[in-house]
Amino acid sequence: MEVSNLSRATPGIAFPPGPASCSDSPSSGWSMGSTPGGLTLSGREPPLSAFTVLVVTLLVLLIAATFLWNLLVLVTILRVRAFHRVPHNLVASTAVSDVLVAALVMPLSLVSELSAGRRWQLGRSLCHVWISFDVLCCTASIWNVAAIALDRYWTITRHLQYTLRTRRRASALMIAITWALSALIALAPLLFGWGEAYDARLQRCQVSQEPSYAVFSTCGAFYLPLAVVLFVYWKIYKAAKFRFGRRRRAVVPLPATTQAKEAAAQESETVFTARCRATVTFQTSGDSWREQKEKRAAVMVGILIGVFVLCWIPFFLTELISPLCACSLPPIWKSIFLWLGYSNSFFNPLIYTAFNKNYNNAFKSLFSKQR
């Protein structure tokens, strides 16, 4: 895509990286230093416009908020012993990946956006480091969302078999698979010579443009976890619907036994009725408590998946359709879709802490101790 700033002859667009290829963020419409014809000026750059300053300020605030919020979640999990168990290790793994996105990926992407013609002037070695961390962290963030959704699904549908010990083993396995798969996708070009990230002639730094690697990376980083989370939420919805229907069928009037009761004394009938009502009230309260807990978990998973899809689907749909139809999207929309995907790392901790009162109490306790 940087080639479009250097020449008019390029007919199509290159495949930019998302979480599997999210480091080659598209040339934004607010980048300075290029002429209307697409030729980069070699002289001094014009001063930044007010719109550019506003956009850069918002992106800097997004980077800072993403880093600080995820760091707060990590500090809370490390300092509160009650969080040293499942499912908080999955939350911690997600926070680690999102912190790395904010610390290592987003700042360099912003620098690349602001450079004239989006040229990479930091050298080949740093380019490879940036690309590797970009793919690694974004992919791990996406797969961690899928792991949290799976954990909540098993908690709701298999709460008797899915014991604490089983959850620990399952979560540890999911975390290991998440980071191993992310590392494989990120390091495949370097380990197997699967394309080159840095072009010294054009001063361009982007993920490998090999078509086979593009298919492998995008499917492994987004489309496969997308299928997992959609399947999980569909199963959660079916399980919740089945439980609600079963509960409604269970609440039916008891068979009439008035003739048998007439033979008993009125006092005995009163005691019997009181005991039955007490028992029924206790059981209903227990069912209501469990249903409320499962409902909160289902709502949390639904919002987590919904935000995940809204943040990443525009970017990946564009990257899937554009090469097939040989059409090009305006650069400003490419930048919007890319940073919308990055913003998912900001929303993740907000969602899975908003539905857990323990985090709110832990945050208050943490800040009160600091005072």
Side-chain angles (χ1 to χ4, degrees):
M1 287 171 295
E2 291 84 346
V3 182
S4 62
N5 294 325
L6 304 176
S7 174
R8 301 182 184 180
T10 306
I13 64 171
F15 187 90
S21 54
C22 50
S23 48
D24 180 29
S25 53
S27 302
S28 75
W30 40 269
S31 295
M32 297 289 104
S34 59
T35 65
L39 297 176
T40 302
L41 295 176
S42 57
R44 63 181 182 179
E45 297 179 13
L48 298 179
S49 65
F51 178 70
T52 303
V53 173
L54 175 62
V55 172
V56 171
T57 302
L58 293 177
L59 294 181
V60 170
L61 291 177
L62 174 64
I63 294 172
T66 302
F67 178 80
L68 293 176
W69 190 250
N70 283 282
L71 186 63
L72 176 62
V73 172
L74 280 176
V75 171
T76 303
I77 294 176
L78 291 175
R79 296 193 61 175
V80 179
R81 291 187 177 182
F83 289 159
H84 297 174
R85 58 184 179 85
V86 176
H88 302 287
N89 53 354
L90 292 173
V91 175
S93 178
T94 308
V96 168
S97 61
D98 290 336
V99 161
L100 293 177
V101 169
L104 303 177
V105 178
M106 297 169 72
L108 288 177
S109 183
L110 180 59
V111 171
S112 180
E113 289 278 2
L114 293 175
S115 64
R118 296 200 70 258
R119 293 182 177 181
W120 182 263
Q121 301 175 356
L122 302 177
R124 183 174 183 270
S125 299
L126 186 57
C127 171
H128 285 164
V129 172
W130 178 45
I131 291 293
S132 299
F133 274 107
D134 194 344
V135 178
L136 172 69
C137 300
C138 292
T139 305
S141 178
I142 291 175
W143 272 108
N144 277 317
V145 171
I148 291 177
L150 279 172
D151 178 75
R152 295 300 191 270
Y153 165 65
W154 289 327
T155 302
I156 293 174
T157 59
R158 303 178 182 178
H159 58 273
L160 295 180
Q161 300 88 351
Y162 199 50
T163 61
L164 183 59
R165 185 175 182 181
T166 304
R167 294 182 70 185
R168 284 175 179 161
R169 293 178 178 177
S171 62
L173 180 61
M174 287 190 291
I175 291 173
I177 292 176
T178 291
W179 287 97
L181 179 60
S182 302
L184 175 63
I185 296 174
L187 300 177
L190 298 178
L191 297 177
F192 309 113
W194 212 345
E196 175 60 41
Y198 181 67
D199 190 331
R201 182 175 63 87
L202 300 176
Q203 290 186 319
R204 181 175 59 187
C205 181
Q206 62 180 7
V207 76
S208 170
Q209 298 297 291
E210 286 290 334
S212 56
Y213 177 74
V215 173
F216 166 74
S217 59
T218 54
C219 288
F222 178 73
Y223 291 109
L224 184 56
L226 175 64
V228 171
V229 296
L230 292 180
F231 174 77
V232 163
Y233 191 67
W234 175 67
K235 296 291 287 185
I236 290 176
Y237 173 78
K238 286 188 63 177
K241 187 176 180 181
F242 171 77
R243 286 187 177 223
F244 179 75
R246 185 177 61 180
R247 185 170 182 266
R248 290 190 61 182
R249 290 192 299 269
V251 182
V252 294
L254 295 175
T257 56
T258 55
Q259 295 181 356
K261 290 184 178 181
E262 289 176 357
Q266 183 67 26
E267 296 181 358
S268 301
E269 183 179 355
T270 303
V271 173
F272 175 77
T273 304
R275 290 178 179 176
C276 288
R277 288 178 179 173
T279 305
V280 172
T281 302
F282 173 78
Q283 293 177 350
T284 303
S285 299
D287 293 339
S288 177
W289 174 82
R290 181 176 294 280
E291 287 176 358
Q292 290 177 4
K293 183 178 179 181
E294 293 178 356
K295 183 179 179 180
R296 285 196 302 268
V299 171
M300 189 277 291
V301 172
I303 295 178
L304 188 69
I305 293 174
V307 172
F308 159 72
V309 172
L310 290 176
C311 286
W312 282 118
I313 198 68
F315 178 82
F316 279 97
L317 278 179
T318 301
E319 302 316 312
L320 179 65
I321 296 174
S322 295
L324 298 178
C325 66
C327 52
S328 178
L329 196 69
I332 182 64
W333 287 105
K334 295 178 182 179
S335 289
I336 290 174
F337 291 163
L338 177 72
W339 284 91
L340 182 63
Y342 284 155
S343 68
N344 186 236
S345 295
F346 167 75
F347 290 115
N348 282 339
L350 292 179
I351 296 170
Y352 53 63
T353 57
F355 288 87
N356 194 320
K357 295 181 180 179
N358 294 330
Y359 279 102
N360 297 327
N361 297 332
F363 292 157
K364 294 178 182 178
S365 176
L366 183 63
F367 285 116
S368 62
K369 289 181 179 179
Q370 294 297 330
R371 292 179 183 177

